[in-house]
Amino acid sequence: MDVNYNITYLILGGHVQLAKYRYLYFSMTLLLFILIICSNTVVLYVIYVHESLHKPMYTFVAALLMNALFGSISVYPKLLIDLLSATQTISRPACRLQSFLVYVYGGCEFTLLSAMAFDRYVSICRPLQYHSLVRTQTVKLILFLAFCLPCCKIGIAVILSTNIGLCKFVLMRITCDNYSLVKAGCGDSTVSNAYGLFAMVLSILPHLIFIVFSYTSILFICLRSSRDFRRGALNTCLPHLVIFLNFTIIIMFEVIQNRISSGIPHIVRLIVSLLYVVIPPLFNPLMYGFKMKEISQHIVALFKLK
């Protein structure tokens, strides 16, 4: 392989026994991708066509599901191509783009989950102020910021990494991420690593604190309220809380295993590196489709199951 090819292209060397199980991997990945597309699209369609669901809470649900589709489309098409290819290569600009899109997906997920916690907090703890605080313009602004803020934070991280020359051209992963590109570099990565850590903390910690505060306040209100009120609050809050905990744990595992250089088997690293585009995109529509009565009723009617 000549030098120019090395400079331009990277090899994704994280696949395990690809030659032996190529078509099995491809079939499973394609089926998973189809399930993700179909499950998220069904819930989005139901929210779109029923005016009774055109409320801030369901708007945030729709945004969360659209973000899951965005994250999945950033990973699965390239992964499917690689599974059928003789060599798993990607250009450096395309690798940067994929890592940017994946990181934006993760940042948007936390921002949207925080926005949903805000909606539930105001609805349950300050019901008389709900319509003045959660207006249509407020929802639009939150959705705009939920996308733009992660784009800005991640964009700076990707730009910083472009100034680092590459010394390694094999990434032991099956998808690209900016941290692996920085580790493959041979220049001074101090600024890039410091900013990456800062951006990661900024993308997670404020949202974590706010969501804990919101649900602590909701819990105190529920303890002082009637059983029917607690049941209604649980029905609307439980899916969101489960999804938040699920995504947070997955991201923590991914961050930890990506920064530990040894001691973790490669197959474990491979599985963990894909969880963020497997479990949330498939789990979220199931949670909202079956656990939220207003949505589940319309889905049942759509498929005429009753």
Side-chain angles (χ1 to χ4, degrees):
M1 189 177 295
D2 59 47
V3 174
N4 291 329
Y5 184 82
N6 278 341
I7 292 174
T8 306
Y9 286 89
L10 297 166
I11 298 173
L12 298 174
H15 294 272
V16 177
Q17 295 186 332
L18 182 58
K20 186 176 181 180
Y21 298 109
R22 181 186 306 276
Y23 296 106
L24 175 62
Y25 291 162
F26 177 84
S27 300
M28 292 174 61
T29 304
L30 180 61
L31 177 61
L32 182 61
F33 188 39
I34 292 173
L35 286 174
I36 289 171
I37 296 293
C38 292
S39 58
N40 284 276
T41 302
V42 166
V43 180
L44 283 169
Y45 173 79
V46 166
I47 293 174
Y48 176 75
V49 299
H50 293 92
E51 290 189 7
S52 62
L53 300 179
H54 294 179
K55 299 176 182 178
M57 177 173 65
Y58 303 111
T59 300
F60 290 132
V61 170
L64 193 72
L65 300 184
M66 290 180 67
N67 188 52
L69 289 175
F70 171 78
S72 300
I73 292 171
S74 301
V75 171
Y76 283 96
K78 169 60 178 169
L79 180 57
L80 289 168
I81 292 172
D82 283 345
L83 291 175
L84 294 181
S85 301
T87 57
Q88 292 69 50
T89 59
I90 185 170
S91 67
R92 191 180 179 187
C95 193
R96 287 200 206 101
L97 176 61
Q98 186 182 63
S99 64
F100 171 77
L101 295 177
V102 167
Y103 280 25
V104 168
Y105 153 69
C108 287
E109 193 85 356
F110 278 112
T111 307
L112 289 170
L113 288 169
S114 185
M116 295 171 75
F118 167 74
D119 176 76
R120 292 298 84 208
Y121 168 77
V122 177
S123 176
I124 294 172
C125 300
R126 298 185 179 181
L128 298 179
Q129 299 175 284
Y130 183 80
H131 292 291
S132 62
L133 291 176
V134 190
R135 297 175 296 176
T136 301
Q137 293 302 319
T138 304
V139 173
K140 290 180 179 178
L141 177 62
I142 290 173
L143 293 178
F144 175 77
L145 293 175
F147 179 74
C148 285
L149 290 179
C151 281
C152 293
K153 288 183 292 187
I154 304 307
I156 294 173
V158 172
I159 291 172
L160 289 174
S161 69
T162 60
N163 297 322
I164 302 173
L166 284 178
C167 290
K168 300 177 183 177
F169 302 97
V170 178
L171 303 181
M172 294 308 295
R173 293 177 61 88
I174 61 176
T175 60
C176 288
D177 71 286
N178 197 59
Y179 183 70
S180 295
L181 285 172
V182 172
K183 286 197 301 183
C186 52
D188 184 5
S189 61
T190 303
V191 175
S192 182
N193 283 327
Y195 179 80
L197 180 61
F198 168 76
M200 181 183 66
V201 172
L202 192 62
S203 297
I204 298 175
L205 189 59
H207 302 298
L208 178 62
I209 293 172
F210 178 74
I211 291 174
V212 170
F213 164 77
S214 299
Y215 278 98
T216 301
S217 302
I218 290 172
L219 177 61
F220 285 141
I221 293 293
C222 289
L223 291 175
R224 299 198 301 264
S225 303
S226 65
R227 180 177 298 178
D228 290 339
F229 182 90
R230 290 197 296 269
R231 185 181 297 111
L234 182 64
N235 287 336
T236 58
C237 293
L238 184 60
H240 171 261
L241 189 57
V242 171
I243 286 169
F244 170 72
L245 292 174
N246 172 55
F247 191 74
T248 302
I249 292 170
I250 288 172
I251 293 301
M252 287 177 61
F253 280 153
E254 165 66 358
V255 170
I256 291 171
Q257 69 90 18
N258 205 17
R259 280 159 175 76
I260 295 177
S261 58
S262 61
I264 300 178
H266 178 69
I267 186 64
V268 175
R269 290 179 178 270
L270 174 62
I271 294 172
V272 170
S273 70
L274 285 177
L275 288 180
Y276 68 96
V277 286
V278 174
I279 295 180
L282 197 59
F283 183 70
N284 294 3
L286 294 178
M287 281 296 294
Y288 286 117
F290 290 101
K291 288 296 183 181
M292 298 190 77
K293 185 178 179 181
E294 295 82 356
I295 296 178
S296 64
Q297 287 177 339
H298 292 298
I299 293 178
V300 170
L302 178 65
F303 291 99
K304 297 180 181 180
L305 297 177
K306 63 178 180 180

